[in-house]
Amino acid sequence: MSQKWRENMSYKVKLNIFEGPFDLLVYLIENAQMNIYDINVAEIVEQYLEYIDEMESREIAVAAEFMVLAASLIEIKSKMLLPRVSVDGDMLAVEDPRTELVEKLLEYKRFKAAAAMLSDAEEYALRVYEKPQEDISMYTEQLDEYLQMDIDQFVNAFNLFLYRKKKVEDVRRHYTRLERQKVSIEQKILYIKAFFARVNRTSVTFDELVEEGGDKYNKVVTFTSLLEMAKSKAVGLKQKANFEKIVITKGNTLNEFDAAAAAAAQIKEENE
């Protein structure tokens, strides 16, 4: 790269979080917890110049705007050192040399806040996706269809509508749809124990247990309950061959079998 090309190139260097001299100055003031209307210029100038020296020690070309602000700060520091009392001992009406700096800092903070708000709005807008407009002319250009009927047909159709509406309301007023309560494993175990006591036999078949409620759900709950009872040896299960009848034999611990505990164990096992 030629020397002339290097001289014509300009770089915008961003160190840490500082994008310019005012950004650095605001950071120093806020970090020192100073009131922006009562800046300790001497302390801020010292910290600001230390930062400039650090930039130069890293062989980073210090931008002119940093040097201009440094000169302004030194000038303000010098004016702050001037006496504010006259020879006669009277207080001189001297404007605070920090006033212009404070106004510029406040203006910078306002613009920075506005830039942050616009950046957030841009980021939000980038996450918004719009659906492209579709051609719905094929639906809007169709003409409305009119039913061709005389007054008698219209009256008959309306009377039929009223009759059906009244019939539905009568049905809803006089009848209520009830849903049959499902049998739980605990209830089915108690039923099996009661069934053995009622028939007074030591063995029964599976078909006998589900005879009173032969729906599919009842069969599944009965079979699950028998498996849970068989694990605790409250009953014995036997089937000679595939598709043969399942014989349930009464166990010695059937009467002491805890239906609630068995149901809770089954629910816990299903959840795991």
Side-chain angles (χ1 to χ4, degrees):
M1 185 180 297
S2 64
Q3 183 66 25
K4 184 178 180 180
W5 174 254
R6 290 178 182 273
E7 293 175 355
N8 292 335
M9 289 183 65
S10 61
Y11 295 91
K12 183 178 180 180
V13 181
K14 178 180 177 181
L15 297 177
N16 297 332
I17 58 171
F18 310 124
E19 297 180 347
F22 279 99
D23 200 23
L24 170 60
L25 191 57
V26 170
Y27 168 77
L28 294 177
I29 294 172
E30 292 179 349
N31 189 54
Q33 298 182 352
M34 292 183 186
N35 186 349
I36 196 170
Y37 295 99
D38 188 19
I39 303 172
N40 188 341
V41 179
E43 181 180 345
I44 291 300
V45 168
E46 182 179 352
Q47 295 179 11
Y48 188 89
L49 293 177
E50 287 179 359
Y51 183 80
I52 297 294
D53 292 339
E54 183 181 353
M55 292 177 63
E56 292 178 343
S57 65
R58 296 182 181 180
E59 298 182 355
I60 299 175
V62 180
E65 53 190 5
F66 279 89
M67 301 304 298
V68 170
L69 182 57
S72 299
L73 291 173
I74 294 173
E75 182 182 3
I76 294 173
K77 179 182 177 181
S78 302
K79 291 180 179 180
M80 295 287 292
L81 297 176
L82 294 176
R84 300 191 179 187
V85 181
S86 64
V87 179
D88 300 331
D90 298 329
M91 294 295 296
L92 298 176
V94 181
E95 183 182 0
D96 192 336
R98 300 171 296 181
T99 303
E100 185 179 356
L101 176 64
V102 170
E103 292 177 356
K104 290 183 178 180
L105 288 174
L106 292 174
E107 184 180 11
Y108 172 79
K109 293 185 70 173
R110 286 195 297 269
F111 276 99
K112 187 174 182 180
M117 182 184 67
L118 293 175
S119 178
D120 293 340
E122 180 186 16
E123 184 179 353
Y124 173 79
L126 291 175
R127 297 197 301 268
V128 176
Y129 297 92
E130 297 181 354
K131 183 177 182 295
Q133 183 178 1
E134 297 182 3
D135 183 13
I136 58 172
S137 59
M138 60 180 296
Y139 303 103
T140 58
E141 293 176 358
Q142 291 182 355
L143 298 177
D144 295 334
E145 296 183 4
Y146 297 93
L147 297 177
Q148 300 294 332
M149 63 170 61
D150 56 24
I151 188 64
D152 293 332
Q153 291 175 323
F154 177 78
V155 170
N156 292 334
F158 187 70
N159 289 333
L160 179 61
F161 165 75
L162 294 178
Y163 169 76
R164 290 179 176 176
K165 184 174 182 294
K166 183 177 181 301
K167 189 174 181 180
V168 171
E169 290 176 351
D170 291 340
V171 171
R172 289 177 177 174
R173 186 165 53 250
H174 294 92
Y175 298 93
T176 304
R177 183 179 180 86
L178 297 177
E179 218 174 292
R180 184 173 55 188
Q181 186 177 4
K182 297 293 186 180
V183 180
S184 65
I185 295 176
E186 181 180 1
Q187 293 172 331
K188 180 57 67 175
I189 291 175
L190 294 175
Y191 169 78
I192 294 172
K193 292 173 66 175
F195 186 85
F196 270 102
R198 187 171 70 249
V199 300
N200 196 19
R201 300 205 316 261
T202 58
S203 64
V204 295
T205 63
F206 182 79
D207 294 338
E208 291 179 288
L209 291 177
V210 296
E211 184 179 0
E212 297 181 7
D215 62 299
K216 189 176 295 185
Y217 176 82
N218 190 283
K219 292 179 180 179
V220 171
V221 174
T222 301
F223 186 74
T224 305
S225 303
L226 288 171
L227 291 178
E228 194 64 35
M229 298 173 71
K231 284 198 302 184
S232 301
K233 297 184 179 180
V235 297
L237 303 177
K238 186 176 181 181
Q239 186 181 35
K240 294 182 179 180
N242 290 339
F243 307 109
E244 288 289 332
K245 291 185 177 181
I246 300 175
V247 179
I248 300 98
T249 306
K250 179 180 179 182
N252 296 329
T253 61
L254 178 62
N255 294 331
E256 292 79 17
F257 185 71
D258 189 350
Q266 176 68 16
I267 294 173
K268 181 179 180 181
E269 183 177 343
E270 291 176 354
N271 292 335
E272 291 177 353

